[in-house]
């Protein structure tokens, strides 16, 4: 008797689904609160605090919580590309680290741009993931996830690059975290050069990421399943 080919897809347990939904729900709340903080900062500006002073703890908590996503993918709880997930998480954490440890970046014009773009992107993304756990995603969430990026990607990337650009002056003057030759270990490291290299990486990566989302939008919003959802909503 011939063995049947194919793998049986095991559905996640109720406990796992509750955990994943709770994580996504908390992230939606966190990024929504951050967006409120940003708006409130400009509507009712405090006298002696910068934007970073107001939002730093919220950003630190919810952005660094994204490390949980790496664990979720690595353990198989979430089906996604581990390498891509690590790159996405670390790229954001690097920005937060630059703002936290390099004084000049807290006043960078790129900070509100990056944070605002992150807020809208993450609220949409985590809402999408949360609903997907139950097997039903409202069309409005699908549309937002595959449409907002047209604006959010350029705004977010511009903000991130401005933050890095602002940091270069301070790092160059102070030679922060840099190792110069000669020394006993016979090694050299320049944080300024490292940041500059990261900025250059954006040049080939951004068009690829942007066009990937454009293609995903065509596939997703043009699919029969999505059209059915759209008809139900209308």
């Amino acid at each position: 008797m011939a063995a049947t080919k194919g793998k049986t897809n095991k559905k996640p347990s109720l406990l796992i689904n509750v955990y994943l939904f709770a994580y996504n729900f908390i992230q939606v709340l966190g990024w929504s609160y951050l967006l409120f903080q940003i708006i409130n900062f400009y509507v009712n500006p405090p006298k002696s605090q910068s934007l970073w002073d107001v939002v730093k703890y919220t950003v630190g908590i919810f952005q660094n919580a994204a490390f949980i996503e790496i664990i979720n993918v690595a353990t198989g709880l979430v089906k996604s590309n581990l390498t891509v997930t690590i790159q996405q998480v670390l790229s954001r954490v690097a920005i937060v680290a630059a703002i936290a440890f390099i004084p000049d970046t807290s006043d960078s014009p790129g900070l509100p741009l990056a944070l605002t773009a992150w807020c809208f992107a993450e609220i949409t993304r985590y809402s999408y993931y949360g609903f997907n756990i139950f097997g039903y995603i409202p069309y409005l969430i699908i549309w937002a996830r595959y449409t907002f990026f047209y604006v959010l990607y350029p705004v977010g990337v511009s903000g991130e690059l401005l933050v890095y650009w602002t940091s270069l002056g301070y790092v160059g003057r102070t030679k922060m975290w840099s190792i110069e030759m000669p020394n006993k270990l016979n090694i050299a490291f320049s944080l300024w050069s490292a940041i500059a290299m990261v900025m250059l990486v954006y040049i080939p990566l951004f068009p690829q990421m942007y066009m990937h989302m454009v293609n995903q939008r065509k596939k997703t919003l043009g699919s029969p399943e999505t059209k059915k959802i759209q008809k139900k909503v209308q």
Side-chain angles (χ1 to χ4, degrees):
M1 187 173 180
T4 56
K5 294 182 179 180
K7 295 181 180 179
T8 57
N9 295 322
K10 293 183 179 180
K11 293 183 178 181
S13 67
L14 177 62
L15 184 61
I16 291 174
N17 281 338
V18 169
Y19 156 71
L20 291 175
F21 177 79
Y23 169 75
N24 287 294
F25 180 70
I26 291 171
Q27 284 283 28
V28 170
L29 291 180
W31 288 98
S32 297
Y33 177 63
L34 177 59
L35 182 60
F36 166 78
Q37 287 181 303
I38 295 171
I39 295 172
N40 188 60
F41 175 84
Y42 288 104
V43 174
N44 302 300
K47 295 180 180 179
S48 59
Q49 286 184 306
S50 67
L51 175 60
W52 182 245
D53 291 330
V54 174
V55 304
K56 60 184 177 182
Y57 294 114
T58 307
V59 175
I61 291 170
F62 290 98
Q63 183 53 63
N64 289 322
F67 277 108
I68 295 174
E69 295 175 34
I70 297 176
I71 298 173
N72 290 341
V73 174
T75 56
L77 295 181
V78 174
K79 293 181 180 179
S80 186
N81 187 296
L82 181 59
T83 302
V84 172
T85 302
I86 292 173
Q87 290 175 344
Q88 291 174 341
V89 172
L90 291 184
S91 65
R92 291 278 192 85
V93 171
I95 291 288
V96 174
I99 301 168
F101 293 106
I102 303 174
D104 290 0
T105 55
S106 61
D107 295 321
S108 170
L111 179 60
L113 293 177
L115 292 182
T116 303
W118 290 3
C119 285
F120 281 104
E122 298 298 56
I123 291 169
T124 305
R125 184 169 72 94
Y126 287 117
S127 296
Y128 181 94
Y129 291 158
F131 279 108
N132 191 45
I133 292 170
F134 297 108
Y136 175 78
I137 308 172
Y139 178 76
L140 181 61
I141 300 295
I142 299 174
W143 180 87
R145 174 166 169 74
Y146 291 101
T147 303
F148 285 0
F149 79 91
Y150 279 122
V151 175
L152 296 181
Y153 268 38
V155 171
V157 167
S158 297
E160 292 172 17
L161 287 173
L162 280 171
V163 169
Y164 279 133
W165 176 261
T166 306
S167 73
L168 290 176
Y170 179 86
V171 172
R173 291 193 308 271
T174 63
K175 297 182 180 179
M176 180 180 179
W177 297 352
S178 298
I179 304 173
E180 296 183 326
M181 296 281 283
N183 57 68
K184 292 181 179 179
L185 297 177
N186 201 32
I187 59 173
F189 173 76
S190 169
L191 180 60
W192 191 98
S193 298
I195 293 174
M197 288 295 294
V198 170
M199 294 176 68
L200 289 174
V201 169
Y202 276 73
I203 296 174
L205 287 186
F206 174 72
Q208 294 179 26
M209 293 170 58
Y210 195 82
M211 292 310 301
H212 171 73
M213 288 301 295
V214 170
N215 292 330
Q216 287 297 107
R217 186 181 194 276
K218 291 179 181 178
K219 292 179 182 178
T220 304
L221 296 186
S223 68
E225 291 183 1
T226 307
K227 289 179 179 178
K228 288 180 182 178
I229 295 174
Q230 183 177 9
K231 289 179 181 178
K232 288 180 181 179
V233 173
Q234 294 174 342

